[in-house]
Amino acid sequence: MSQVSTEPDLLYTEEEEALRAAVRDLLTDRCAAADVITRSESGTPHDLELWKALTEGMGLAGLLVPEERGGQGATHREAAVVLEELGRAVAPVPYLTSAVVATEALLACDGSVADELLAALASGRTVGVLAVALNAGPGTAHRTVRLENGSLHGELTGIADAAAADVLLVPAEDGALYAVAADAVTVVPQVSLDQTRPLARIGFDAAPARPLTTDAAGAVRRALRAGAGLLASEQLGIADHSLTETVRYLKERKQFNRPVGGFQALKHRLAQVWLEVVGTRAAARNAADALATGSPDSDVAVAVAQAYAAPVAVHAAEEALQLHGGIGMTWEHPAHLYLKRAKADSIAYGTAGAHREALAGLVDLQAP
């Protein structure tokens, strides 16, 4: 009698590769680096037309939502492929925050309000944001607001993509999670290193709130765990694109009448980045597969992925900027977009150090 394998599947399926090709084609046509740079300088950093094409056109916002609740009924594996491509393009869309984090929080909730919002987020016509600071990791403390007479009071800071949100999912001091319309609060932009994923301060002044669940801690933890696990795939996209573009440039750029990429010292640097990218792909795919299958090792897989992927994305983006020489230091070249996103991602949903600490506890590895 054959046994069902419990080993993680790190390979991409044909369907996942087809999804990748479709998303990459769209981003190639609609998300040029020059346009992203121009948009980052404007007062509207999010590309809502691109978001509409990804969601209403391709149905990607509902990948994690079951069909019976208005979504596509796919898994974290497919969402991870989408995030790889969005990372490669540094796309200024709220996919991670709305289609993953906010969606996962709603999937932990029951009731008509949650079902209504979940279907709206799955359609892409509504953008949802979990009102927890971007640097908060799974299981860590985060700020809450005060509930009085059915309305919320207080202030939250460091909320990613709040400027694009239609609805906010807000944890309160009473331990519950509430839905608040974005037009009922004050959203003030904060200075953000990564201008393609802007942060904001949100003020609640008697904001009307609809209850979603009495277990905000469980919903928030589930959402942040999925966010951290799938962020590794975005970081993989950043690192892989940075390496690919650097190799291409060094083959074309010449010094002393020979390609710069032919110099041994640069070959060694590129080889090191390649090894790190390969490792990141394995860790990111393992986390996506664990989340998709509900593996009991999901917490370990997510911690490993974030502990490894965050520094790799930063290193690959730094090497890309440096090895492009003078042109890499200019505002017109997109290298700075990738470095900023990689640096911002390195503290999103918990730092690499925080995830290593969590991992030590999960596997009972005591400090000496």
Side-chain angles (χ1 to χ4, degrees):
M1 182 178 178
S2 62
Q3 294 182 339
V4 177
S5 174
T6 58
E7 294 297 317
D9 182 3
L10 305 187
L11 301 179
Y12 299 98
T13 66
E14 290 184 8
E15 291 79 8
E16 289 164 359
E17 290 292 6
L19 174 61
R20 178 197 307 284
V23 175
R24 186 175 296 188
D25 286 346
L26 175 64
L27 294 173
T28 299
D29 292 339
R30 304 284 290 273
C31 193
D35 295 335
V36 176
I37 294 172
T38 299
R39 185 170 290 281
S40 71
E41 298 175 303
S42 71
T44 55
H46 294 100
D47 190 341
L48 297 183
E49 287 301 314
L50 175 60
W51 173 252
K52 184 176 181 180
L54 289 165
T55 57
E56 296 183 35
M58 299 182 68
L60 300 182
L63 289 180
L64 299 182
V65 181
E67 292 183 25
E68 61 271 18
R69 300 186 74 177
Q72 302 298 321
T75 72
H76 300 79
R77 291 175 59 95
E78 288 80 12
V81 170
V82 174
L83 280 164
E84 280 185 46
E85 294 307 310
L86 294 177
R88 289 179 63 88
V90 200
V93 293
Y95 190 85
L96 181 64
T97 46
S98 182
V100 176
V101 176
T103 295
E104 284 280 352
L106 286 172
L107 286 169
C109 304
D110 295 318
S112 59
V113 176
D115 287 341
E116 171 195 333
L117 289 176
L118 198 57
L121 263 63
S123 72
R125 290 186 288 273
T126 296
V127 174
V129 167
L130 180 65
V132 172
L134 183 62
N135 67 330
T140 61
H142 56 83
R143 294 182 63 183
T144 57
V145 294
R146 188 175 73 258
L147 178 71
E148 286 185 10
N149 301 320
S151 59
L152 299 180
H153 303 256
E155 183 179 85
L156 298 172
T157 59
I159 310 302
D161 292 334
D166 300 299
V167 63
L168 300 165
L169 311 181
V170 188
E173 291 177 353
D174 66 345
L177 187 69
Y178 295 88
V180 177
D183 57 11
V185 302
T186 303
V187 178
V188 180
Q190 293 182 280
V191 176
S192 307
L193 173 63
D194 177 15
Q195 294 156 303
T196 64
R197 181 174 285 148
L199 305 178
R201 182 173 67 251
I202 304 176
F204 299 82
D205 184 10
R210 295 186 290 170
L212 293 168
T213 178
T214 57
D215 182 19
V220 169
R221 187 184 185 284
R222 171 175 174 165
L224 297 184
R225 184 179 70 163
L230 295 189
L231 177 64
S233 291
E234 177 178 289
Q235 291 163 323
L236 168 61
I238 293 168
D240 191 45
H241 178 83
S242 297
L243 174 61
T244 300
E245 286 302 300
T246 304
V247 170
R248 181 190 61 78
Y249 176 76
L250 294 183
K251 285 181 177 179
E252 297 173 354
R253 180 78 167 89
K254 291 186 177 181
Q255 279 188 349
F256 309 112
N257 209 29
R258 61 180 288 192
V260 174
F263 292 102
Q264 193 73 10
L266 300 191
K267 286 183 178 181
H268 288 168
R269 291 172 67 172
L270 293 171
Q272 179 60 40
V273 175
W274 181 84
L275 287 172
E276 293 175 357
V277 170
V278 170
T280 300
R281 179 172 288 107
R285 292 301 294 167
N286 183 51
D289 186 73
L291 290 168
T293 58
S295 168
D297 293 329
S298 293
D299 288 341
V300 172
V302 168
V304 168
Q306 264 311 299
Y308 192 86
V312 168
V314 172
H315 182 219
E318 287 176 341
E319 290 288 73
L321 188 146
Q322 292 176 16
L323 295 179
H324 273 81
I327 193 174
M329 301 291 178
T330 65
W331 184 261
E332 291 75 19
H333 194 278
H336 65 92
L337 293 176
Y338 291 88
L339 182 55
K340 290 172 182 175
R341 174 65 71 88
K343 291 290 284 185
D345 280 358
S346 70
I347 62 171
Y349 306 118
T351 63
H355 284 284
R356 283 193 292 270
E357 185 176 350
L359 178 62
L362 289 168
V363 299
D364 195 25
L365 182 62
Q366 303 300 319

